Amino acid sequence: SAVISQKPSRDICQRGTSLTIQCQVDSQVTMMFWYRQQPGQSLTLIATANQGSEATYESGFVIDKFPISRPNLTFSTLTVSNMSPEDSSIYLCSVTGYRGDEQYFGPGTRLTVT
Amino acid sequence: QKEVEQDPGPLSVPEGAIVSLNCTYSNSAFQYFMWYRQYSRKGPELLMYTYSSGNKEDGRFTAQVDKSSKYISLFIRDSQPSDSATYLCAMSEGGSYIPTFGRGTSLIVHP
């Protein structure tokens, strides 16, 4: 399985500001994913990021709010823009394993918006 | 009705107990079934991966799938305090790369 790191591990931000979360993988991967995990809720997929193309967003998530970059096969960023307290959550990046549908996750970024 | 239902718990058991964690689902097209373990302030870690019905054993962990009942289970034998974590089930139709997750069950194993 890939080793995935995320920065920052946690942050406290003021409403109206933006935060960029970085995800680094130790091997080249085609697809990277961004999830949100709210307390007591299941993992919610935000978007799929492929290198060299626009990210694909799930219903309820838009590029203006969650812009994603994927400059190469080992790195991606997710920006949470114009934050509100409702954006307080854990944000996780992941990659698929060799089977194609199992996911391997980074340690997460714990975001609190005040 | 959600596609995947999982009781959030918490489930509290004494050390050494056999733990049973369960999920039900509604999508009969699911073929691949996974269990993840998530420690506090960590990302989910893949624990078990199974295909179709039947049992799969890995050390103290056994994953069981009953497709006819749309019901999957994870059994933990001789539970340890280090097993205290949230356990998430996940399942996929295959080929889609994106599984559907349950909300997780919080397990507490007390000494």
Side-chain angles (χ1 to χ4, degrees), chain A residues 10 31 33 35 37 40-43 45 48 58 90 92 96 99-108 110, chain B residues 2 32 34 36 38 40-46 49 56 88 92-99 101-103:
Chain A
R10 61 189 309 161
M31 301 170 77
F33 305 88
Y35 284 83
Q37 186 178 33
Q41 303 298 316
S42 61
L43 294 168
L45 182 65
T48 302
E58 298 299 305
I90 298 172
L92 295 151
T96 53
R99 298 180 186 94
D101 52 2
E102 81 276 32
Q103 303 261 310
Y104 294 94
F105 290 88
R110 185 177 296 266
Chain B
K2 292 184 179 178
Y32 300 89
M34 292 149 271
Y36 288 82
Q38 186 175 22
S40 181
R41 302 184 186 282
K42 301 286 187 183
E45 165 195 14
L46 182 64
Y49 183 97
K56 181 178 181 179
L88 300 98
S92 77
E93 297 179 26
S96 68
Y97 302 109
I98 302 168
F101 288 87
R103 60 190 295 189

Short mmCIF file of all heavy atoms in Angstrom, two decimals, chain A residues 10 31 33 35 37 40-43 45 48 58 90 92 96 99-108 110, chain B residues 2 32 34 36 38 40-46 49 56 88 92-99 101-103:
data_model
loop_
_atom_site.label_atom_id
_atom_site.label_comp_id
_atom_site.label_asym_id
_atom_site.label_seq_id
_atom_site.Cartn_x
_atom_site.Cartn_y
_atom_site.Cartn_z
N ARG A 10 -3.72 19.70 11.29
CA ARG A 10 -4.90 20.36 11.85
C ARG A 10 -4.73 21.86 11.72
O ARG A 10 -3.60 22.36 11.59
CB ARG A 10 -5.12 19.96 13.30
CG ARG A 10 -3.97 20.34 14.24
CD ARG A 10 -4.16 19.73 15.60
NE ARG A 10 -5.48 19.99 16.15
CZ ARG A 10 -6.02 19.28 17.14
NH1 ARG A 10 -5.39 18.27 17.66
NH2 ARG A 10 -7.23 19.60 17.60
N MET A 31 -5.10 7.99 -9.88
CA MET A 31 -6.26 8.66 -9.30
C MET A 31 -6.01 8.96 -7.82
O MET A 31 -5.52 8.12 -7.07
CB MET A 31 -7.50 7.79 -9.45
CG MET A 31 -7.84 7.45 -10.90
SD MET A 31 -9.11 6.19 -11.04
CE MET A 31 -10.56 7.16 -10.69
N PHE A 33 -8.14 10.89 -4.45
CA PHE A 33 -9.49 11.24 -4.02
C PHE A 33 -9.43 12.13 -2.79
O PHE A 33 -8.55 11.98 -1.96
CB PHE A 33 -10.28 9.97 -3.68
CG PHE A 33 -10.32 8.96 -4.80
CD1 PHE A 33 -9.32 8.01 -4.92
CD2 PHE A 33 -11.36 8.96 -5.71
CE1 PHE A 33 -9.35 7.08 -5.94
CE2 PHE A 33 -11.39 8.03 -6.73
CZ PHE A 33 -10.37 7.10 -6.85
N TYR A 35 -11.87 13.23 0.48
CA TYR A 35 -13.07 12.92 1.25
C TYR A 35 -13.23 13.92 2.39
O TYR A 35 -12.27 14.52 2.87
CB TYR A 35 -12.96 11.53 1.89
CG TYR A 35 -13.16 10.36 0.97
CD1 TYR A 35 -12.11 9.86 0.19
CD2 TYR A 35 -14.40 9.71 0.89
CE1 TYR A 35 -12.30 8.77 -0.64
CE2 TYR A 35 -14.59 8.63 0.07
CZ TYR A 35 -13.53 8.15 -0.69
OH TYR A 35 -13.71 7.06 -1.50
N GLN A 37 -14.99 13.92 6.31
CA GLN A 37 -15.54 13.06 7.36
C GLN A 37 -16.02 13.96 8.50
O GLN A 37 -15.21 14.53 9.23
CB GLN A 37 -14.49 12.07 7.86
CG GLN A 37 -15.05 11.07 8.87
CD GLN A 37 -14.00 10.05 9.30
OE1 GLN A 37 -12.81 10.35 9.39
NE2 GLN A 37 -14.43 8.83 9.59
N GLY A 40 -19.54 11.52 13.40
CA GLY A 40 -20.68 10.61 13.38
C GLY A 40 -21.22 10.30 12.00
O GLY A 40 -22.25 9.63 11.88
N GLN A 41 -20.53 10.78 10.97
CA GLN A 41 -21.03 10.57 9.61
C GLN A 41 -20.07 9.68 8.82
O GLN A 41 -18.91 9.53 9.18
CB GLN A 41 -21.18 11.91 8.89
CG GLN A 41 -22.09 12.90 9.58
CD GLN A 41 -23.51 12.39 9.69
OE1 GLN A 41 -24.07 11.84 8.74
NE2 GLN A 41 -24.10 12.53 10.87
N SER A 42 -20.57 9.11 7.76
CA SER A 42 -19.71 8.30 6.91
C SER A 42 -18.81 9.20 6.08
O SER A 42 -19.03 10.41 5.98
CB SER A 42 -20.55 7.40 6.01
OG SER A 42 -21.37 8.17 5.17
N LEU A 43 -17.83 8.58 5.47
CA LEU A 43 -16.93 9.31 4.58
C LEU A 43 -17.71 9.78 3.36
O LEU A 43 -18.42 9.00 2.72
CB LEU A 43 -15.77 8.42 4.15
CG LEU A 43 -14.82 7.99 5.26
CD1 LEU A 43 -13.91 6.88 4.76
CD2 LEU A 43 -14.01 9.17 5.74
N LEU A 45 -17.32 11.47 -0.36
CA LEU A 45 -16.38 11.79 -1.43
C LEU A 45 -16.65 13.20 -1.94
O LEU A 45 -17.79 13.52 -2.30
CB LEU A 45 -16.49 10.78 -2.56
CG LEU A 45 -15.54 10.97 -3.73
CD1 LEU A 45 -14.09 10.76 -3.30
CD2 LEU A 45 -15.89 10.01 -4.88
N THR A 48 -12.70 13.48 -7.33
CA THR A 48 -11.63 12.62 -7.83
C THR A 48 -10.68 13.49 -8.65
O THR A 48 -11.13 14.26 -9.51
CB THR A 48 -12.20 11.52 -8.73
OG1 THR A 48 -13.16 10.76 -7.97
CG2 THR A 48 -11.11 10.60 -9.24
N GLU A 58 -18.33 15.43 -6.88
CA GLU A 58 -19.56 14.72 -6.52
C GLU A 58 -20.69 15.74 -6.32
O GLU A 58 -20.44 16.94 -6.11
CB GLU A 58 -19.35 13.88 -5.27
CG GLU A 58 -18.30 12.80 -5.44
CD GLU A 58 -18.66 11.80 -6.50
OE1 GLU A 58 -19.77 11.19 -6.43
OE2 GLU A 58 -17.84 11.60 -7.43
N ILE A 90 -13.00 16.69 9.11
CA ILE A 90 -11.72 16.07 8.78
C ILE A 90 -11.70 15.87 7.28
O ILE A 90 -12.65 15.33 6.71
CB ILE A 90 -11.54 14.72 9.51
CG1 ILE A 90 -11.55 14.94 11.03
CG2 ILE A 90 -10.23 14.06 9.08
CD1 ILE A 90 -11.58 13.65 11.82
N LEU A 92 -9.69 14.12 4.14
CA LEU A 92 -8.81 12.98 3.89
C LEU A 92 -8.52 12.85 2.41
O LEU A 92 -9.43 12.96 1.58
CB LEU A 92 -9.46 11.68 4.37
CG LEU A 92 -9.72 11.55 5.87
CD1 LEU A 92 -10.92 10.66 6.13
CD2 LEU A 92 -8.49 10.97 6.56
N THR A 96 -6.23 4.55 -4.67
CA THR A 96 -6.72 3.18 -4.78
C THR A 96 -5.55 2.21 -4.71
O THR A 96 -4.43 2.54 -5.09
CB THR A 96 -7.47 2.95 -6.09
OG1 THR A 96 -6.63 3.36 -7.17
CG2 THR A 96 -8.75 3.74 -6.14
N ARG A 99 -6.20 -3.57 -6.33
CA ARG A 99 -7.46 -4.21 -6.72
C ARG A 99 -8.36 -3.23 -7.47
O ARG A 99 -9.26 -3.62 -8.17
CB ARG A 99 -8.19 -4.75 -5.50
CG ARG A 99 -7.43 -5.81 -4.73
CD ARG A 99 -8.25 -6.26 -3.55
NE ARG A 99 -7.56 -7.17 -2.66
CZ ARG A 99 -6.90 -6.79 -1.58
NH1 ARG A 99 -6.81 -5.51 -1.29
NH2 ARG A 99 -6.31 -7.69 -0.82
N GLY A 100 -8.14 -1.94 -7.24
CA GLY A 100 -8.91 -0.94 -7.96
C GLY A 100 -10.02 -0.27 -7.20
O GLY A 100 -10.42 0.84 -7.52
N ASP A 101 -10.57 -0.93 -6.16
CA ASP A 101 -11.66 -0.29 -5.44
C ASP A 101 -11.42 -0.15 -3.95
O ASP A 101 -12.22 0.47 -3.27
CB ASP A 101 -13.00 -1.01 -5.69
CG ASP A 101 -12.91 -2.50 -5.43
OD1 ASP A 101 -11.84 -2.98 -5.03
OD2 ASP A 101 -13.92 -3.18 -5.65
N GLU A 102 -10.33 -0.71 -3.43
CA GLU A 102 -10.04 -0.43 -2.03
C GLU A 102 -9.25 0.88 -1.95
O GLU A 102 -8.51 1.23 -2.87
CB GLU A 102 -9.27 -1.58 -1.37
CG GLU A 102 -7.78 -1.62 -1.63
CD GLU A 102 -7.40 -2.29 -2.93
OE1 GLU A 102 -8.19 -2.21 -3.89
OE2 GLU A 102 -6.29 -2.87 -2.98
N GLN A 103 -9.46 1.61 -0.88
CA GLN A 103 -8.85 2.92 -0.74
C GLN A 103 -7.84 2.90 0.39
O GLN A 103 -8.03 2.26 1.42
CB GLN A 103 -9.94 3.95 -0.41
CG GLN A 103 -11.05 4.03 -1.42
CD GLN A 103 -10.89 5.15 -2.40
OE1 GLN A 103 -10.67 6.28 -2.01
NE2 GLN A 103 -10.99 4.86 -3.68
N TYR A 104 -6.75 3.63 0.18
CA TYR A 104 -5.75 3.84 1.22
C TYR A 104 -5.72 5.33 1.53
O TYR A 104 -5.63 6.15 0.62
CB TYR A 104 -4.39 3.33 0.77
CG TYR A 104 -4.38 1.84 0.59
CD1 TYR A 104 -4.63 1.26 -0.65
CD2 TYR A 104 -4.18 0.99 1.68
CE1 TYR A 104 -4.65 -0.11 -0.82
CE2 TYR A 104 -4.19 -0.38 1.52
CZ TYR A 104 -4.43 -0.93 0.28
OH TYR A 104 -4.46 -2.29 0.14
N PHE A 105 -5.81 5.64 2.80
CA PHE A 105 -6.02 7.01 3.24
C PHE A 105 -4.80 7.63 3.87
O PHE A 105 -3.97 6.96 4.50
CB PHE A 105 -7.17 7.06 4.26
CG PHE A 105 -8.52 6.77 3.67
CD1 PHE A 105 -8.99 5.47 3.58
CD2 PHE A 105 -9.30 7.80 3.19
CE1 PHE A 105 -10.23 5.20 3.04
CE2 PHE A 105 -10.54 7.54 2.64
CZ PHE A 105 -11.00 6.24 2.55
N GLY A 106 -4.73 8.94 3.74
CA GLY A 106 -3.77 9.72 4.50
C GLY A 106 -4.26 9.89 5.93
O GLY A 106 -5.37 9.47 6.27
N PRO A 107 -3.47 10.55 6.77
CA PRO A 107 -3.84 10.70 8.19
C PRO A 107 -4.94 11.73 8.44
O PRO A 107 -5.51 11.77 9.52
CB PRO A 107 -2.54 11.16 8.84
CG PRO A 107 -1.78 11.81 7.74
CD PRO A 107 -2.15 11.07 6.48
N GLY A 108 -5.25 12.53 7.43
CA GLY A 108 -6.33 13.49 7.58
C GLY A 108 -5.86 14.87 8.04
O GLY A 108 -4.80 15.02 8.65
N ARG A 110 -7.55 17.94 10.23
CA ARG A 110 -8.68 18.31 11.09
C ARG A 110 -8.85 19.82 11.05
O ARG A 110 -7.98 20.55 11.51
CB ARG A 110 -8.43 17.82 12.52
CG ARG A 110 -9.57 18.04 13.49
CD ARG A 110 -9.21 17.44 14.85
NE ARG A 110 -9.06 16.01 14.77
CZ ARG A 110 -10.01 15.13 15.03
NH1 ARG A 110 -11.21 15.55 15.40
NH2 ARG A 110 -9.77 13.84 14.94
N LYS B 2 -30.55 4.63 3.51
CA LYS B 2 -29.18 4.71 3.04
C LYS B 2 -28.77 3.40 2.42
O LYS B 2 -29.28 2.33 2.78
CB LYS B 2 -28.27 5.05 4.21
CG LYS B 2 -28.46 6.47 4.76
CD LYS B 2 -27.45 6.76 5.85
CE LYS B 2 -27.64 8.17 6.37
NZ LYS B 2 -26.70 8.49 7.47
N TYR B 32 -17.83 -6.42 -3.64
CA TYR B 32 -16.58 -6.34 -2.91
C TYR B 32 -16.85 -5.66 -1.57
O TYR B 32 -17.50 -4.60 -1.52
CB TYR B 32 -15.54 -5.56 -3.72
CG TYR B 32 -15.25 -6.19 -5.05
CD1 TYR B 32 -16.00 -5.85 -6.18
CD2 TYR B 32 -14.25 -7.13 -5.18
CE1 TYR B 32 -15.76 -6.45 -7.39
CE2 TYR B 32 -13.99 -7.73 -6.40
CZ TYR B 32 -14.74 -7.38 -7.51
OH TYR B 32 -14.50 -7.98 -8.71
N MET B 34 -15.34 -4.46 2.31
CA MET B 34 -14.13 -4.07 3.03
C MET B 34 -14.46 -3.65 4.46
O MET B 34 -15.57 -3.19 4.74
CB MET B 34 -13.46 -2.89 2.31
CG MET B 34 -12.89 -3.24 0.95
SD MET B 34 -12.94 -1.85 -0.21
CE MET B 34 -14.57 -2.08 -0.95
N TYR B 36 -12.57 -1.26 7.46
CA TYR B 36 -11.50 -0.34 7.80
C TYR B 36 -11.50 -0.12 9.31
O TYR B 36 -12.56 -0.10 9.95
CB TYR B 36 -11.70 1.01 7.11
CG TYR B 36 -11.45 1.00 5.63
CD1 TYR B 36 -12.42 0.57 4.74
CD2 TYR B 36 -10.24 1.44 5.11
CE1 TYR B 36 -12.19 0.56 3.37
CE2 TYR B 36 -10.00 1.44 3.74
CZ TYR B 36 -10.98 0.99 2.88
OH TYR B 36 -10.75 0.99 1.53
N GLN B 38 -10.20 2.73 12.12
CA GLN B 38 -9.75 4.11 12.25
C GLN B 38 -9.53 4.45 13.71
O GLN B 38 -10.48 4.53 14.49
CB GLN B 38 -10.77 5.08 11.63
CG GLN B 38 -10.29 6.52 11.61
CD GLN B 38 -11.23 7.45 10.87
OE1 GLN B 38 -12.41 7.16 10.70
NE2 GLN B 38 -10.73 8.58 10.40
N SER B 40 -8.37 7.10 16.69
CA SER B 40 -8.63 8.51 16.89
C SER B 40 -7.51 9.36 16.28
O SER B 40 -6.33 9.05 16.47
CB SER B 40 -8.76 8.79 18.39
OG SER B 40 -9.03 10.14 18.62
N ARG B 41 -7.90 10.35 15.52
CA ARG B 41 -6.98 11.30 14.91
C ARG B 41 -6.06 10.65 13.87
O ARG B 41 -4.95 11.13 13.61
CB ARG B 41 -6.15 12.04 15.97
CG ARG B 41 -7.02 12.78 16.97
CD ARG B 41 -6.23 13.57 17.96
NE ARG B 41 -7.09 14.15 18.97
CZ ARG B 41 -7.83 15.22 18.79
NH1 ARG B 41 -7.82 15.86 17.64
NH2 ARG B 41 -8.60 15.68 19.76
N LYS B 42 -6.55 9.56 13.28
CA LYS B 42 -5.81 8.90 12.20
C LYS B 42 -6.75 8.68 11.02
O LYS B 42 -7.97 8.74 11.16
CB LYS B 42 -5.26 7.55 12.66
CG LYS B 42 -4.32 7.62 13.85
CD LYS B 42 -2.97 8.17 13.47
CE LYS B 42 -1.99 8.07 14.62
NZ LYS B 42 -0.68 8.67 14.29
N GLY B 43 -6.17 8.39 9.84
CA GLY B 43 -6.99 8.03 8.70
C GLY B 43 -7.42 6.57 8.77
O GLY B 43 -6.80 5.76 9.47
N PRO B 44 -8.48 6.20 8.06
CA PRO B 44 -8.91 4.79 8.04
C PRO B 44 -7.83 3.90 7.43
O PRO B 44 -7.15 4.29 6.48
CB PRO B 44 -10.16 4.83 7.15
CG PRO B 44 -10.62 6.25 7.18
CD PRO B 44 -9.38 7.07 7.30
N GLU B 45 -7.73 2.69 7.98
CA GLU B 45 -6.73 1.71 7.56
C GLU B 45 -7.47 0.46 7.09
O GLU B 45 -8.32 -0.07 7.82
CB GLU B 45 -5.84 1.40 8.76
CG GLU B 45 -4.97 0.18 8.65
CD GLU B 45 -4.42 -0.23 10.02
OE1 GLU B 45 -4.92 0.26 11.05
OE2 GLU B 45 -3.52 -1.05 10.05
N LEU B 46 -7.16 0.00 5.88
CA LEU B 46 -7.83 -1.18 5.35
C LEU B 46 -7.46 -2.41 6.18
O LEU B 46 -6.29 -2.73 6.36
CB LEU B 46 -7.44 -1.41 3.89
CG LEU B 46 -8.10 -2.59 3.20
CD1 LEU B 46 -9.62 -2.38 3.10
CD2 LEU B 46 -7.51 -2.79 1.80
N TYR B 49 -10.49 -7.36 3.13
CA TYR B 49 -11.08 -7.18 1.80
C TYR B 49 -11.61 -8.53 1.34
O TYR B 49 -10.86 -9.51 1.31
CB TYR B 49 -10.01 -6.66 0.83
CG TYR B 49 -10.50 -6.37 -0.56
CD1 TYR B 49 -10.85 -5.08 -0.93
CD2 TYR B 49 -10.60 -7.38 -1.52
CE1 TYR B 49 -11.29 -4.79 -2.21
CE2 TYR B 49 -11.05 -7.10 -2.79
CZ TYR B 49 -11.38 -5.80 -3.14
OH TYR B 49 -11.83 -5.53 -4.40
N LYS B 56 -13.66 -14.93 5.46
CA LYS B 56 -12.23 -14.74 5.28
C LYS B 56 -11.61 -14.46 6.63
O LYS B 56 -12.11 -13.61 7.37
CB LYS B 56 -11.94 -13.58 4.32
CG LYS B 56 -10.44 -13.36 4.08
CD LYS B 56 -10.21 -12.25 3.09
CE LYS B 56 -8.73 -12.06 2.84
NZ LYS B 56 -8.49 -10.97 1.85
N LEU B 88 -15.21 0.89 10.12
CA LEU B 88 -16.09 1.28 9.02
C LEU B 88 -16.19 0.13 8.02
O LEU B 88 -15.17 -0.43 7.62
CB LEU B 88 -15.58 2.52 8.30
CG LEU B 88 -15.40 3.80 9.10
CD1 LEU B 88 -13.95 3.98 9.52
CD2 LEU B 88 -15.84 5.01 8.27
N SER B 92 -18.38 -2.10 -2.72
CA SER B 92 -18.43 -1.54 -4.06
C SER B 92 -18.95 -2.56 -5.05
O SER B 92 -18.96 -3.77 -4.78
CB SER B 92 -17.05 -1.05 -4.49
OG SER B 92 -16.24 -2.14 -4.88
N GLU B 93 -19.35 -2.06 -6.20
CA GLU B 93 -19.84 -2.93 -7.27
C GLU B 93 -18.70 -3.51 -8.08
O GLU B 93 -18.88 -4.44 -8.82
CB GLU B 93 -20.78 -2.13 -8.20
CG GLU B 93 -22.02 -1.61 -7.51
CD GLU B 93 -22.91 -0.82 -8.46
OE1 GLU B 93 -22.85 -1.06 -9.68
OE2 GLU B 93 -23.66 0.05 -7.97
N GLY B 94 -17.51 -2.93 -7.89
CA GLY B 94 -16.38 -3.39 -8.68
C GLY B 94 -16.25 -2.56 -9.94
O GLY B 94 -17.24 -2.25 -10.59
N GLY B 95 -15.01 -2.15 -10.24
CA GLY B 95 -14.79 -1.39 -11.45
C GLY B 95 -15.10 0.08 -11.32
O GLY B 95 -14.83 0.85 -12.24
N SER B 96 -15.66 0.49 -10.18
CA SER B 96 -16.02 1.90 -10.04
C SER B 96 -14.98 2.69 -9.26
O SER B 96 -15.04 3.90 -9.24
CB SER B 96 -17.36 2.03 -9.32
OG SER B 96 -17.24 1.61 -7.96
N TYR B 97 -14.06 1.99 -8.60
CA TYR B 97 -12.98 2.60 -7.84
C TYR B 97 -13.44 3.29 -6.57
O TYR B 97 -12.63 3.67 -5.76
CB TYR B 97 -12.20 3.61 -8.68
CG TYR B 97 -11.61 3.02 -9.92
CD1 TYR B 97 -12.12 3.34 -11.17
CD2 TYR B 97 -10.55 2.13 -9.83
CE1 TYR B 97 -11.57 2.77 -12.30
CE2 TYR B 97 -10.00 1.56 -10.97
CZ TYR B 97 -10.51 1.90 -12.21
OH TYR B 97 -9.99 1.35 -13.33
N ILE B 98 -14.70 3.52 -6.40
CA ILE B 98 -15.17 4.31 -5.28
C ILE B 98 -16.16 3.51 -4.45
O ILE B 98 -17.29 3.29 -4.87
CB ILE B 98 -15.84 5.61 -5.78
CG1 ILE B 98 -14.85 6.41 -6.62
CG2 ILE B 98 -16.33 6.43 -4.60
CD1 ILE B 98 -15.50 7.54 -7.39
N PRO B 99 -15.74 3.04 -3.26
CA PRO B 99 -16.66 2.29 -2.42
C PRO B 99 -17.65 3.20 -1.70
O PRO B 99 -17.43 4.41 -1.58
CB PRO B 99 -15.73 1.60 -1.42
CG PRO B 99 -14.52 2.48 -1.36
CD PRO B 99 -14.39 3.11 -2.70
N PHE B 101 -19.28 3.87 1.95
CA PHE B 101 -18.89 3.62 3.33
C PHE B 101 -20.08 3.67 4.27
O PHE B 101 -21.02 4.45 4.07
CB PHE B 101 -17.87 4.66 3.79
CG PHE B 101 -16.51 4.51 3.19
CD1 PHE B 101 -16.21 5.10 1.97
CD2 PHE B 101 -15.53 3.77 3.83
CE1 PHE B 101 -14.96 4.94 1.40
CE2 PHE B 101 -14.27 3.62 3.27
CZ PHE B 101 -13.98 4.21 2.05
N GLY B 102 -20.02 2.83 5.32
CA GLY B 102 -20.92 3.00 6.45
C GLY B 102 -20.39 4.11 7.34
O GLY B 102 -19.29 4.62 7.15
N ARG B 103 -21.19 4.49 8.35
CA ARG B 103 -20.80 5.61 9.19
C ARG B 103 -19.81 5.22 10.29
O ARG B 103 -19.27 6.07 10.98
CB ARG B 103 -22.04 6.26 9.81
CG ARG B 103 -22.84 5.34 10.66
CD ARG B 103 -24.18 5.93 11.06
NE ARG B 103 -24.04 7.11 11.90
CZ ARG B 103 -25.05 7.70 12.51
NH1 ARG B 103 -26.28 7.25 12.35
NH2 ARG B 103 -24.87 8.75 13.25
#
